[in-house]
Amino acid sequence: MNRIVDITIVRPVEEADHPLLPWMPPEAPLEMPVQSLDAGRLARGRPSSSPATIGRRRALVFGTTAGLTLVAAYQLWWLLRAGGIALLEAIVLALFVPLFAWIAFSFATAVAGFVQLLRRRPSSLDIPVDGPLPALSTRTALLVPVYNEDPRRTFAGVQAVLESVVATGRGAHFECFILSDTRDPDIAAAEKGAFLALRARLGDRIGVYYRRRQDNRERKAGNIADWVRRYGGAWPQFLILDADSLMEGATLVRLAAAMERHPDLALVQTLPLVVNGNTVFARMQQFSGRVYGQVIAHGVAWWHGAEGNYWGHNAIIRTRAFAACAGLPVLQGRAPFGGSVLSHDFVEAALMRRGGWALHMEPGLGGSYEEGPPSLTDMLVRDRRWCQGNLQHALVVPARGLHWVSRSHLLVGIGHYLTAPMWAMLMLVGLAIPLQASGPFAPAGAAYAPLAYWREADPSRFLWLFALTMVLLFAPKLLGLLATLLDRRLRRACGGGWRLAAGAVLETVLAALMAPVTMYLQSRGVAEVLAGRDSGWNPQRRDDGSLPMSELLSRYGGMTLFGLGAAMAAYLVSPGLAAWMSPVIAGLVLSIPVVALTSSPGAGAWLRRRGIFATPEETAPPAILRRAAELRRGE
């Protein structure tokens, strides 16, 4: 059910059928040695593109995080200290401090990004977002790794990108490689047919090649490394496009020119905007990325400086730097921790920075797009694979010679998944403490009332700490919404102030209802990884995220029953407990209707007609999005 394929090829297409067609260019080998995590040194010297104030920027972000966390930790300690801190209270404190630091860090980053958006400062690489396109003197390879994707859809996107490149007048400086890891023979035949059709349509305006790997070792990372080792010597830089990626030709030209201007630059990561959302869930994602994601992205770029990160696609990479530094080792130990590196992008970025190269993020460049998963179910399937890959990074964090910011990227990736079980544990222990206090050894008449228990020690201090936590938790969304409202052009392109506010409220409500499901499944994913269960490698659905009722019941029926059981048990213990747990219980009990509603293209179309979750890319689609849509419809 995860495969959506439009196959029009009636028999396999082989290279022998077209002996004069250059399926691949002559090989240009480039050595790419496997790197060691046990040996290595950080190259001396700061990259020339690193901002002069980068030290102060990081001190401000991390200092704000530490200061807020210390204040909150002290307040909680004061609430717990009466009568001494027992074991359960110590566990609450131990869980609360890193979780609060997590949201304080997001808050500090969002504030920095909000200020940058208001100041409209140029990027550290001075990449112009408009004006005449620069001349180019080098060639760039566009790499499109695919794995059991819909060929019609993929090649339509590739054609739109290449036509956009040709329209810039710089087509001679770019060539495209479709790098297939597809295992399904029918899809592979369709890929070859789509490639031949694409070559016929483009003619000699731009080079396009196709290669299907027989050995899928190391998955996507191995696919890219194979190209580098066999062909990388002929292309000074390459750019990765996923099967759902689109990038405007002007953006590609500006990125290539930046690589030519900055000889110590290894990578520039753009901010792909989520587009083409049809279901409620997909439209939520594109709205969130456009409205909230901007402040986080600009804040991250501001304090990352030349120690940026890599997200695996929509990024340009210097081939020589990648070949010299990013050969991935096989991780020692048993699967799923050991073996090939799954979330390879973070590790490749860390190794290139160790080699002395600069890596930057440019969120303001524009012209970079991707599609999101159509449903919560699809997101969680993908998330399970990322969970395993990110937890693998625990073996990479202690690697010798890594820059401390690179280690922080790896730790943040790990923390993204560990926070789910930590929040669950904090909630359960926070309920257990007042339950213990109202148990059989409690004073006569003592009732179970969690909120009253926690307020009892110091009501004003408890409310102040709760308010601070909520403010920091929702501040990135509020700052993103405010930044959008203050930008007149962007506000109007998103449907105006009232529709923006309505979208923000609806997104927050739906996200809150889905949060318990996500927390439960992410916690289960962490447990599965720790138990040694591999995630596999499944193709992604792109368009329709709906599921039949039978599968909804199979996936979420147990969660619904668990929520109902928890509600009954909580009410029997105390109506106050049921009220306290109601946000989590509601998410579990309503998981089936919420997933069904948010996966519905019909409900998404209803919201679209009313301008809810609208984005500029939807209300006035750029030419490349319109062209890709036309090609996918066969026009």
Side-chain angles (χ1 to χ4, degrees), residues 437-449:
S438 61
F441 300 104
Y448 182 71

Side-chain angles (χ1 to χ4, degrees), residues 488-517:
R488 182 181 179 185
R489 180 192 61 81
L490 183 56
R491 180 180 71 246
R492 297 183 67 177
C494 290
W498 288 109
R499 288 186 178 88
L500 267 170
V505 171
L506 180 59
E507 189 277 336
T508 300
V509 171
L510 290 175
L513 287 172
M514 289 186 281
V517 177

Side-chain angles (χ1 to χ4, degrees), residues 44-237:
R44 292 182 177 276
R46 193 174 73 177
S48 61
S49 56
S50 180
T53 59
I54 192 63
R56 292 196 293 273
R57 296 179 186 184
R58 290 168 180 167
L60 185 60
V61 170
F62 284 92
T64 300
T65 300
L68 288 171
T69 303
L70 286 173
V71 168
Y74 175 77
Q75 301 303 319
L76 182 60
W77 172 83
W78 183 271
L79 290 171
L80 296 173
R81 80 197 204 308
I85 295 180
L87 176 60
L88 290 180
E89 293 168 330
I91 293 174
V92 165
L93 192 59
L95 290 169
F96 176 82
V97 170
L99 288 172
F100 189 92
W102 183 264
I103 62 173
F105 181 64
S106 297
F107 167 79
T109 299
V111 170
F114 179 73
V115 173
Q116 295 310 301
L117 281 172
L118 294 186
R119 297 175 69 183
R120 301 183 185 277
R121 297 293 295 273
S123 71
S124 57
L125 297 175
D126 294 324
I127 301 178
V129 297
D130 51 23
L133 292 177
L136 298 177
S137 60
T138 58
R139 295 196 301 165
T140 301
L142 307 179
L143 308 185
V144 187
V146 294
Y147 174 71
N148 287 346
E149 297 282 352
D150 176 1
R152 177 178 57 84
R153 184 179 183 82
T154 299
F155 279 81
V158 170
Q159 181 174 339
V161 172
L162 297 183
E163 288 178 350
S164 181
V165 171
V166 170
T168 67
R170 309 294 194 274
H173 295 278
F174 293 87
E175 292 187 286
C176 179
F177 293 78
I178 312 298
L179 304 178
S180 175
D181 259 336
T182 294
R183 309 315 302 151
D184 187 303
D186 292 333
I187 300 178
E191 284 177 356
K192 292 180 179 181
F195 164 67
L196 295 174
L198 178 62
R199 285 293 301 265
R201 289 192 296 268
L202 293 174
D204 60 358
R205 290 182 293 168
I206 191 168
V208 186
Y209 304 99
Y210 174 88
R211 184 270 286 137
R212 180 182 173 217
R213 259 199 329 163
Q214 298 303 312
D215 182 355
N216 292 112
R217 192 174 306 169
E218 297 182 82
R219 304 185 185 186
K220 179 181 175 181
N223 198 356
I224 301 301
D226 175 78
W227 179 88
V228 171
R229 291 186 172 109
R230 294 176 60 190
Y231 303 98
W235 283 268
Q237 52 265 341

Side-chain angles (χ1 to χ4, degrees), residues 366-425:
S368 180
Y369 311 100
E370 67 172 333
E371 295 178 354
S375 71
L376 178 64
T377 303
D378 293 285
M379 187 199 76
L380 291 172
V381 168
R382 184 180 68 176
D383 207 56
R384 172 61 179 82
R385 186 174 68 251
W386 287 356
C387 173
Q388 181 175 333
N390 283 22
L391 293 183
Q392 267 190 329
H393 291 166
L395 303 179
V396 182
V397 171
R400 297 186 58 126
L402 298 186
H403 194 283
W404 71 269
V405 174
S406 298
R407 295 188 203 275
S408 76
H409 297 328
L410 298 169
L411 289 171
V412 166
I414 295 170
H416 178 76
Y417 292 96
L418 292 184
T419 51
M422 290 174 67
W423 280 116
M425 291 171 61

Side-chain angles (χ1 to χ4, degrees), residues 126 270 291 318 360 403 577 618:
D126 294 324
T270 65
V291 176
R318 189 177 301 277
H360 284 261
H403 194 283
L577 175 60
E618 181 178 88

